[in-house]
Amino acid sequence: MFDPREKIALFIDGANLYSAARSLGFDIDYKRLLAVFGRKGYLLRAYYYTALAEDQEFSTLRPLIDWLDYNGYSVVTKPLKEFYDQNGRRKVKGNMDIELVIDAMEVSDQVDHIVLFSGDGDFRRLAEALQRKGKKVSVVSTLQTQPPMIADDLRRQSDHFIELAELQAEIGRDPSERTPRPDRAERIERAERDRPSEERVLPSNA
């Protein structure tokens, strides 16, 4: 499935991967994930995509985003959009598909193998387009939930399907460990505020 001579890029649909892992009963250890795929070839980039509510600056998701940004991931975020449906019910929308697709097509000339962490069937056309450019496409999701988290047409289109449940031993977080703590995120924020503005490293925005 992997050739150690390959240049690899990871594209992580954050919400989709989170849902798949939680459905399987474990949490992702993103440090281990990076190390595992770094051993499979030359890992050029690892992108993580998620949408954030404007009032989530200090939410439980923010420490994870900060940690990823400081530990080898290229984080791409955008604000959730709020709207009301025809029945007056409040809805939120935070689809990151277009950002992921654009980045994957732009980086494709620099890599041999793209690993997509998502089961969203909308990415089937992306996989097809990358394959036409001579790139190998692997998809990480799961068939072991009811219903399966992987769209059948995406699984069939990919060159390789990687069952997320089979990666649990390698990339699962130890149950005794916690998600990056808010106090750590606060220290990072404080350090950023104190650093001269021209030296600040901020997450990428879509």
Side-chain angles (χ1 to χ4, degrees):
M1 188 181 304
F2 289 89
D3 184 324
R5 298 168 297 181
E6 290 178 331
K7 290 182 180 179
I8 303 169
L10 310 182
F11 287 84
I12 301 172
D13 178 346
N16 195 285
L17 178 59
Y18 173 82
S19 296
R22 290 304 297 269
S23 296
L24 293 169
F26 74 97
D27 292 321
I28 302 293
D29 184 323
Y30 288 96
K31 183 176 181 179
R32 296 177 70 189
L33 186 154
L34 212 59
V36 166
F37 283 88
R39 292 193 295 268
K40 295 182 183 297
Y42 179 80
L43 183 55
L44 184 68
R45 292 282 186 277
Y47 295 89
Y48 183 94
Y49 298 82
T50 191
L52 295 171
E54 291 183 355
D55 60 354
Q56 281 188 334
E57 182 65 24
F58 301 103
S59 76
T60 54
L61 186 58
R62 176 55 62 180
L64 172 62
I65 297 303
D66 288 336
W67 186 92
L68 293 172
D69 193 47
Y70 277 81
N71 287 274
Y73 288 84
S74 296
V75 180
V76 182
T77 68
K78 73 177 180 183
L80 284 169
K81 295 185 182 299
E82 291 189 16
F83 65 96
Y84 291 88
D85 65 15
Q86 59 185 5
N87 297 316
R89 290 174 297 195
R90 178 176 172 272
K91 301 285 186 178
V92 292
K93 181 179 180 181
N95 192 304
M96 298 291 293
D97 290 7
I98 189 64
E99 288 81 6
L100 191 155
V101 168
I102 290 172
D103 289 345
M105 293 302 293
E106 286 184 343
V107 82
S108 63
D109 290 337
Q110 304 171 44
V111 299
D112 308 298
H113 191 164
I114 284 177
V115 183
L116 174 64
F117 290 77
S118 181
D120 190 339
D122 289 344
F123 290 125
R124 186 198 70 78
R125 290 296 301 276
L126 170 62
E128 183 182 33
L130 291 167
Q131 289 164 339
R132 285 199 301 266
K133 291 167 67 69
K135 310 304 173 182
K136 189 188 298 182
V137 179
S138 293
V139 173
V140 181
S141 188
T142 183
L143 287 166
Q144 296 191 20
T145 56
Q146 292 298 327
M149 296 290 289
I150 177 75
D152 189 60
D153 54 353
L154 176 60
R155 181 176 63 84
R156 291 174 181 274
Q157 184 67 51
S158 66
D159 294 293
H160 302 286
F161 169 66
I162 302 173
E163 172 57 57
L164 181 61
E166 295 177 4
L167 292 177
Q168 181 174 352
E170 294 184 275
I171 68 170
R173 180 178 296 281
D174 187 314
S176 65
E177 297 179 8
R178 298 173 57 189
T179 305
R181 297 173 298 172
D183 60 330
R184 175 180 172 83
E186 289 167 6
R187 289 197 300 272
I188 292 172
E189 279 190 63
R190 193 177 303 116
E192 282 300 288
R193 286 197 302 268
D194 295 339
R195 187 187 300 182
S197 59
E198 66 271 18
E199 296 179 5
R200 292 183 183 174
V201 180
L202 300 176
S204 301
N205 287 310

